[in-house]
């Protein structure tokens, strides 16, 4: 097998994830496509993941790409996670992963509606009314949809609690790709969104149907281009696939096995290392791109930077490896802590990067959605 060591993996990561100054770009579509997609469970991650890779870091261009130009869109996909994609990868992810997630959501909703005594055609009727409303008057927040369609606000039992019918229907329509999350109801750090009819928000919505195997091969190709070498287990975990789907996708893209995992057949040449320093937010796609992370993350750093569920917090990267963490304090300062000796020059660059992040955020204060243990220490 082709030998690829940890140092080469870090060199690939630095270049392909645009962490080095020479690789940064203000082309947000290219930036997001190069990472396949950005995590959007925490809305702050989208903006700071993009800004960390921009030649001229700024927040407004991300806002424009999401809500004005609509060259990026927000959609549930792999592992029922909320992501931001370019249209091409959104289509691949939808048909390779989201369709299966949506099927589970449909079964759950059908059981909940039956438990609540609703007629069998309730979802179909409610979906049609909501789509027509959003197409005519949207985007609208869920609360406004309920005000416009009050007969769809009756309770649906969910475990020990309940949820309004229109909220549950909107969620399932989102998994189906019929509606998309538009501009938030508050500022860019807010995670409550308006809903838009997908075909009104972006031409073609999430795209024409694709056979799952075709879509899975396309998604695997994009993943390996960004994250290869990666093991079969890395890809299976990232995509939320079965072993069979993962194995078929690797076969379909003619993946080449190396000592570190699989790469694409045209991706066997070494990549020159480039120096880099970056402060990445919680749930950044680089931090969360592999299940096995020993090529960029020492075992002793994990308890400081990841919560018990495996969610990565804000991290400091030097030359393709995690070396510490950071947090925004109440006064807006960015507190950093290095857990690895990186030398005085890199340490100085870390402080400079923290200063630039402070300036970028200005008066904005945010809370990390999934804080790592180090956050408490840095905020104390």
């Amino acid at each position: 097998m082709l030998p690829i060591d940890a140092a080469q993996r870090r060199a690939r990561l630095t270049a392909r994830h645009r962490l080095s100054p020479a690789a940064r770009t203000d082309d947000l579509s290219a930036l997001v496509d190069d990472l396949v997609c950005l995590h959007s469970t925490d809305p702050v991650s989208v903006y700071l993941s993009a800004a960390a890779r921009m030649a001229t870091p700024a927040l407004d261009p991300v806002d424009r790409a999401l809500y004005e130009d609509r060259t990026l869109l927000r959609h549930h996909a792999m592992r029922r996670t909320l992501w931001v994609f370019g249209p091409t990868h959104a289509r691949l992810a939808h048909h390779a992963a989201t369709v299966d997630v949506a099927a589970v959501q449909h079964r759950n909703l059908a059981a909940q509606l039956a438990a609540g005594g609703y007629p069998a055609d309730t979802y179909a009727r409610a979906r049609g009314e909501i789509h027509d409303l959003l197409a005519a008057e949207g985007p609208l927040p869920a609360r406004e949809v309920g005000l416009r369609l009050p007969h769809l606000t009756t309770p649906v039992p969910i475990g020990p609690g309940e949820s309004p019918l229109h909220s549950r229907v909107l969620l399932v329509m989102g998994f189906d790709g019929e509606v998309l999350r538009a501009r938030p109801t508050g500022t860019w750090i807010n995670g409550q969104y308006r809903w838009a009819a997908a075909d009104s928000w972006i031409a073609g919505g999430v795209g024409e149907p694709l056979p799952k195997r075709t879509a899975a091969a396309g998604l695997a190709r994009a993943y390996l281009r960004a994250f290869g070498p990666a093991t079969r287990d890395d890809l299976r975990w990232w995509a939320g696939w079965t072993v069979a789907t993962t194995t078929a996708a690797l076969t379909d893209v003619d993946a080449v096995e190396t000592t570190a995992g699989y790469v694409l057949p045209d991706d066997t040449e070494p990549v020159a290392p480039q120096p880099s320093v970056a402060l990445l937010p919680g749930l950044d796609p680089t931090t969360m791109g592999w299940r096995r992370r020993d090529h960029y993350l020492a075992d002793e750093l994990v308890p400081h930077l990841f919560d018990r569920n495996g969610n990565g917090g804000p991290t400091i990267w030097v030359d393709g490896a995690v070396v510490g963490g950071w947090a925004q304090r109440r006064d807006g300062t960015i507190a950093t802590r290095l857990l690895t000796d990186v030398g005085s020059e890199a340490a100085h660059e870390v402080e400079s990067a923290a200063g630039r992040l402070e300036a970028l955020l200005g008066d904005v204060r945010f809370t990390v959605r999934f804080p790592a243990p180090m956050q408490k220490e840095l905020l104390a």
Side-chain angles (χ1 to χ4, degrees), residues 100-186:
D100 288 342
V101 178
V104 175
Q105 294 299 312
H106 275 280
R107 290 197 296 271
N108 291 344
L109 180 57
Q112 292 158 0
L113 292 175
Y118 286 89
D121 65 345
T122 296
Y123 174 72
R125 288 189 295 104
R127 179 181 65 184
E129 289 188 57
I130 291 173
H131 180 273
D132 290 346
L133 172 66
L134 294 177
E137 303 182 38
L140 297 171
R143 180 178 179 277
E144 187 65 28
V145 172
L147 292 174
R148 304 289 184 91
L149 303 171
H151 57 289
L152 297 183
T153 60
T154 52
V156 175
I158 301 177
E162 58 187 29
S163 176
L165 173 61
H166 73 285
S167 294
R168 290 290 299 128
V169 171
L170 275 168
L171 182 65
V172 176
M173 289 176 71
F175 283 107
D176 281 336
E178 291 188 47
V179 296
L180 295 171
R181 287 164 174 81
R183 191 179 292 276
T185 56

Side-chain angles (χ1 to χ4, degrees), residues 26 28 47 54 58-72 183 201:
D26 292 333
L28 286 174
Y47 287 78
M54 294 173 70
L59 303 175
D60 287 346
V62 184
D63 215 58
R64 287 196 299 273
L66 283 166
Y67 309 124
E68 295 177 24
D69 301 337
R70 302 177 189 176
T71 52
L72 300 176
R183 191 179 292 276
W201 184 251

